[in-house]
Amino acid sequence: MRGQVLPEAALVCNFPRGLMEHREVQTFFHEFGHLVHDILGGDQEWVEFSGVATEWDFVEAPSQMLEEWVWDAEVLASFATDESGTPIPADLVARMREADAFGRALLVRMQLGHARVSYHLHMDRPADIAAASDHWYEVSSPVGKLEGTHSYAAFGHLTEYGSCYYTYQWSLVIARDLLTGFAGLMDPASATRYRREILEPGGRRDAADLVEAFLGRPFTVDAYREFLGEPSS
């Protein structure tokens, strides 16, 4: 917006120098999504609604949505090169996307295990935290945890998100639906509308209203189902 004074912000990361692995680039785009949201949504009258101060169910959606750009061959070709400066081949990106989709439902079940552990440790307050964590992982995913590893101790989001880790998966539902509002990942008109309707309001409007303003309808789970490999009805 012309004349708008945007707040200053920065990402502090510990990525390696030189070449980065694709997963590291994906992480950078994710965190950059938070940064852009914080900057563009930071010009609010009240600090409580500034930047990423939206509902927990929504706060990860813009950053998860931006991850899609690192799976697009055209986008990657604009900056992703090897030591000689050769852009990443489109056929390699296609194979990467196929590999990423393999076992995706299993990964979601693991995420639901994290969500259950997050919720039940805070709500049930079990005397044996390790046993309770192992139980919820066991009933959530066929991938078992090694006994005696105290997996909860490595679950950093327990102290950051408390009982709300489920929001990562719920935000992904919204993120997949937001992508349907783009005519193309590099379409300027779609990006401008997304900035105006989703990012710039910060938290001064309910997230459901932001999404409906951008999509022209309430959000649905259809895009998320397709993401998991389930045909839409």
Side-chain angles (χ1 to χ4, degrees), residues 180-195:
T180 67
F182 283 78
L185 294 185
M186 303 302 289
D187 177 58
S190 301
T192 300
R193 193 162 49 84
Y194 175 75
R195 170 177 174 166

Side-chain angles (χ1 to χ4, degrees), residues 158-169:
L158 280 176
T159 55
E160 298 172 6
Y161 274 66
S163 62
C164 298
Y165 188 81
Y166 77 90
T167 58
Y168 267 96
Q169 207 57 215

Side-chain angles (χ1 to χ4, degrees), residues 60-74:
E60 295 291 339
S63 55
Q64 287 181 316
M65 192 201 71
L66 196 60
E67 293 180 29
E68 184 68 15
W69 272 251
V70 304
W71 294 99
D72 182 85
E74 182 180 355

